[in-house]
């Protein structure tokens, strides 16, 4: 299984950017959730949001709620992170990751932790200028 993140770049504050994460292995996706994390310079990697591939339900970190939207395209095996109203504090390397769903009753909040994920993409840099 491979995850390929792309779409990062430089954008002005208030602007928008869309990241993509292409996943190899269609069968793999039906049993996993896909998440986004980010890591700013000198800081720990933090949770951005997650999507259940089978149900399409989403859950977001507090700092991005109302500004970021996660979606997926089944035909393209690709997850997206639409980022609007970007702020300088959104500057970070963004990573996509995949976590197995071990039970149908697992709450989405479980996937806020890095430890839930077993596959990671390589990261894509997002820089927001003020």
């Amino acid at each position: 299984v491979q995850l390929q993140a792309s779409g990062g770049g430089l954008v002005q504050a208030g602007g928008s950017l869309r990241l993509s994460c292409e996943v190899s292995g269609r069968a793999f996706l039906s049993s996993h959730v896909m998440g986004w994390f980010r890591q700013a310079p000198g800081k720990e990697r933090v949770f951005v949001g997650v999507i259940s591939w089978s149900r399409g339900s989403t859950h977001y970190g507090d700092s991005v709620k109302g500004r970021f939207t996660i979606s997926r395209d089944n035909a393209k095996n690709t997850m997206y992170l639409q980022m609007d109203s970007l702020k300088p504090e959104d500057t970070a390397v963004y990573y996509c990751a995949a976590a197995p769903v071990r039970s149908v009753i697992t709450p989405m909040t479980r996937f806020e932790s890095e430890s839930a994920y077993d596959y990671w993409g390589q990261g894509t840099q997002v820089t927001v200028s003020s």
Side-chain angles (χ1 to χ4, degrees), residues 22-37:
E22 185 174 0
V23 183
S24 63
R26 182 184 299 271
F28 163 88
L29 290 171
S30 63
S31 62
H32 282 66
V33 298
M34 298 293 298
W36 287 100
F37 286 76

Side-chain angles (χ1 to χ4, degrees), residues 50-130:
V50 61
I51 186 168
S52 166
W53 199 270
S54 59
R55 295 178 294 172
S57 54
T58 55
H59 171 63
Y60 299 94
D62 288 341
S63 63
V64 306
K65 279 181 182 176
R67 299 188 299 122
F68 290 11
T69 304
I70 298 175
S71 61
R72 87 276 196 234
D73 185 327
N74 284 314
K76 296 181 178 180
N77 283 7
T78 301
M79 173 179 65
Y80 302 100
L81 178 65
Q82 177 66 41
M83 304 184 294
D84 298 318
S85 302
L86 282 162
K87 305 174 182 179
E89 51 263 44
D90 294 318
T91 295
V93 176
Y94 284 71
Y95 298 89
C96 59
V101 179
R102 307 194 186 282
S103 169
V104 296
I105 62 173
T106 302
M108 292 291 268
T109 52
R110 170 69 180 93
F111 301 106
E112 294 179 0
S113 171
E114 287 187 62
S115 63
Y117 295 81
D118 49 9
Y119 294 99
W120 291 84
Q122 83 287 5
T124 185
Q125 175 71 46
V126 172
T127 303
V128 184
S129 63
S130 57

